[in-house]
Amino acid sequence: MRAIVCNAYGPPEDLVLADVADPVPGPGQVLVRVHAAAVNFPDVLFVAGKYQIRIPPPFTPGNEVAGEVVATGQGAAFTPGQRVFGTTFGAFAELVLLDEATAALVPDGVDFGSAAAFGVTYRTAYHALRSVAQVAAGDWVVVLGAAGGVGLAAVDLAVALGARVLAAASSPEKLQLCRERGAQATVDYDTEDLKLRIRELTGDNARVVLDPVGGSYAEPALRGLARGGMFVTLGYAAGAIPAIPLNLILLKDITVRGMEIRTFMGDYPEECARDLAELSELFADGRIRPYIGARFPLAQTAAALRYVADRKVLGKVIIDVT
């Protein structure tokens, strides 16, 4: 099969398309012919060797896929021909293995691209909103990087939960998309005073900030929170991990929480199970659908990762494999 291979840590442009051995499913695994794979910012970090977990090269990056079952290992409760989606490692390839526990049937009426784009970003956003911040109807939720993968998922889901969304992003095009997805207010944090605009637009009543961006945007967003609010850090797409003055937390009685999708299931199994059941229902019923802003063929995976790394993406980027 063909697969994208990272032979050494570095920029996306160093990735190569190579012929590698077909994987063989073991007990409880399914072999999937990949139709679509989704790109996430951590893919860029994995390739660069800058993620929290380092995978020794050579390896195939990517972890969100949707496709068709072609073979099953012993005990796997799927059959060839079924459409499935899930998370794994090595998604940017023509064939991939999914563990039974991480695979699910693609709902009727959902295309492979939407299924591949759904898992990581929507789970991250929903856990952050539902379990960490415990967002309620009517709450003002500020979303940084609101036109990106996690950000736009957070906009969609906060609206579905009945919250009022202030979307913060870096261009009129991105903010227009956020308004189309239901954001009640928007701010361009590259041209406007983020702290002041959060206070003005929410009536000094912002209860939650979701931040998948970090960098220079984190502190002014935290300063814009209402007294007793919650700041949830989800990642650092801006490339810098911010340092927050602790006196701000003390003086405003702010709660700062972190949420990492990789460890959430083990740390909070009951909340995770509840969230996934609710999220799956929203997806199957058609009440939420990922926005796909760009598509690339497998041979142009490096360009897709560069597109994400340079913060050009609106919503999700998809690799069309077959």
Side-chain angles (χ1 to χ4, degrees), residues 48-61:
K50 296 180 179 179
Y51 195 64
Q52 291 95 324
I53 298 173
R54 289 165 65 94
I55 306 296
F59 64 84
T60 293

Side-chain angles (χ1 to χ4, degrees), residues 140-144 164 166-168 194 198 202 206 208-211 221:
W140 270 109
V141 176
V142 179
V143 181
L144 305 187
R164 295 176 289 178
L166 192 165
L194 181 58
I198 289 173
T202 67
V208 176
V209 168
L210 295 190
D211 180 15

Side-chain angles (χ1 to χ4, degrees), residues 19 50 92 99 182 199 216 241 257 285 312:
D19 290 320
K50 296 180 179 179
F92 301 150
D99 290 332
R199 291 178 175 176
S216 62
I241 298 175
R257 290 282 305 272
D285 290 349
K312 295 179 180 179

